[in-house]
Amino acid sequence: MTKFGLTGSTGSLGKEILRYNKKFKISKFTGDIRKKKDIGKWIEKNEINIIIHLAAVVPIKVVNRNLKKAYDVNYLGTKNLVDSILICIERSIDCSA
C-alpha cells in the first residue's frame, strides 16, 4: 500500500489536501523542517513512499519580514528533506550479492 507524507499540513494548501482527501492515509510532518533528524525519523517511522512537500514561509511580505527564517525553512528545509530521502533510499537498498 502506498503511504503518503505531507509537509506543510498547517498551511492553506496542506489543509485543503487533508480536507478533500478521503481516499488515502496521509502522515503529517509535525517536526521542524529545519532539522534533518526530525525528517528522517518521520520518513522511517511511517514508511512513506510519496511526499507532498508544501512546508514554506509565504507570502512575500512575511518572507521580507524575516529573511533568515524564510531561507532556513524554504531552502534549507527542502534541502534537508531531499537529503533525508536520499539517506532513507540508501538504507533500503539491499547490497547483498
Side-chain angles (χ1 to χ4, degrees):
M1 179 176 179
T2 302
K3 297 181 182 177
F4 290 85
L6 175 65
T7 68
S9 63
T10 60
S12 56
L13 289 175
K15 286 178 184 175
E16 290 297 305
I17 286 176
L18 293 173
R19 186 166 68 129
Y20 285 104
N21 172 56
K22 305 295 181 209
K23 199 173 188 179
F24 302 103
K25 182 178 182 287
I26 296 178
S27 171
K28 298 181 284 186
F29 178 70
T30 57
D32 186 342
I33 198 73
R34 297 169 292 183
K35 296 180 180 174
K36 200 180 296 187
K37 189 180 283 188
D38 287 359
I39 300 166
K41 286 180 185 176
W42 170 66
I43 294 170
E44 288 182 357
K45 176 184 173 197
N46 295 287
E47 298 176 340
I48 295 169
N49 305 106
I50 297 173
I51 295 176
I52 302 166
H53 176 47
L54 300 175
V57 174
V58 291
I60 195 68
K61 287 181 182 180
V62 176
V63 169
N64 287 335
R65 274 188 240 133
N66 196 337
L67 293 173
K68 169 93 170 91
K69 181 178 181 182
Y71 175 83
D72 288 350
V73 171
N74 297 355
Y75 173 75
L76 292 178
T78 300
K79 182 180 182 322
N80 288 341
L81 179 63
V82 171
D83 290 346
S84 296
I85 291 167
L86 293 174
I87 290 168
C88 289
I89 289 171
E90 287 175 9
R91 288 182 185 162
S92 69
I93 295 174
D94 183 4
C95 297
S96 60

